[in-house]
Amino acid sequence: MAPMGIRLSPLGMAVFCLLGLGVLYHLYSGFLAGRFAFFMLGEPAAGGAAAVDLRELLAVSVLAAARGGEEVKRVREGNVLNAKAKGKTREGAEEQLTTGDLLSNRRMFYLLKSAFPAVQINSEERVDTAEQDTVPWDRSIPEDIKQKIQPKEVPAESVTVWIDPLDATQEYTEDLRQYVTTMVCVAVNGKPVIGVIHKPFSSYTAWAMVDGGSNIKARSFYNEKTPRIIVSRSHAGKVEQVARQTFGNKTVIIPAGGAGYKVLALLDVPEKNQEEADVYIHVTYIKKWDICAGNAVLRALGGHMTTLTGEEISYTGSDGNEGGLIASINMNHRALIEKLPDLEKTSHK
């Protein structure tokens, strides 16, 4: 019984409730639809960063490495390097910086940034925002990538791109051109999934995508008992003694420049001046833009690149890897690590 003897009509109550529900629906339908889109598509509904297609990101990464390589080659052939020291490594060696590094970095960075503005890009060289450039991409995908790679979207916030605009700068200044590469790597949630390694002076490009495809293969023959170990030119003496004690006196040590070149040595590269190796070892601190692309390529082909203690390398956070590295393919990677216990002790020096 209502106050003052007034009865409430059941029909009126029903109409009132329906009106209330209509108001609530109007207020919250947009919000609920947005949340539904977020969970179904993996991206914010309004104003947030859209998902990115890894196939497109691979295509523009290949183009960026080639465009950067054009600058590297042009500067070297014009002999206008303007080389200068930009600091010292932890080992006390002078790090070189050239015009080739800077122009390649600018070309690569702004091409990738123009194509995917929401993606985080980490580069070896500082980007001068005062010289900001727009490098358009026509969104075309090369036929070999179209044939081998399917579209795959991931949230933009999960992606980090690592670029090395000129790997092996020291060798570049010495005109040891075979060691020089430009590289792009795409990591998703810290795991390397796309790798591009380009050799500017031969125009050779290797690319691969984890769970996708590649344009390069692993070599078919490996000697696990007495492997050929490729190392940095400055580390050859440090590695040689321990390696020979571990694998035997017949072990071959191959000094070489550039992390990209060393990874290619583990693969089937159709170039006469590309040396071949079974294992790649680095015994000191190394920057992630040096190794991310090679790590992705090896992962895509079933290989491994880990720290000297066998830990996976995460491509988030700091730009350096403290634990050295060992890389192999078609070999027992764990057995290799167990054979090299002494090298890890030198990786922090």
Side-chain angles (χ1 to χ4, degrees), residues 176-210:
L176 299 174
R177 304 183 182 195
Q178 71 271 24
Y179 297 128
V180 176
T181 63
T182 58
M183 295 187 286
V184 182
C185 176
V186 176
V188 178
N189 295 320
K191 295 182 178 181
V193 298
I194 290 174
V196 179
I197 304 175
H198 175 71
K199 300 181 78 172
F201 297 102
S202 66
S203 299
Y204 173 78
T205 304
W207 59 260
M209 178 172 159
V210 175

Side-chain angles (χ1 to χ4, degrees), residues 61 65 108 112 162-168 181-185 195-198 258-261 263 289-294:
S61 295
M108 293 173 70
L112 288 159
W162 297 83
I163 63 176
D164 192 341
L166 201 169
D167 190 39
T181 63
T182 58
M183 295 187 286
V184 182
C185 176
V196 179
I197 304 175
H198 175 71
Y261 178 88
V263 168
W289 41 67
D290 290 317
I291 60 176
C292 186

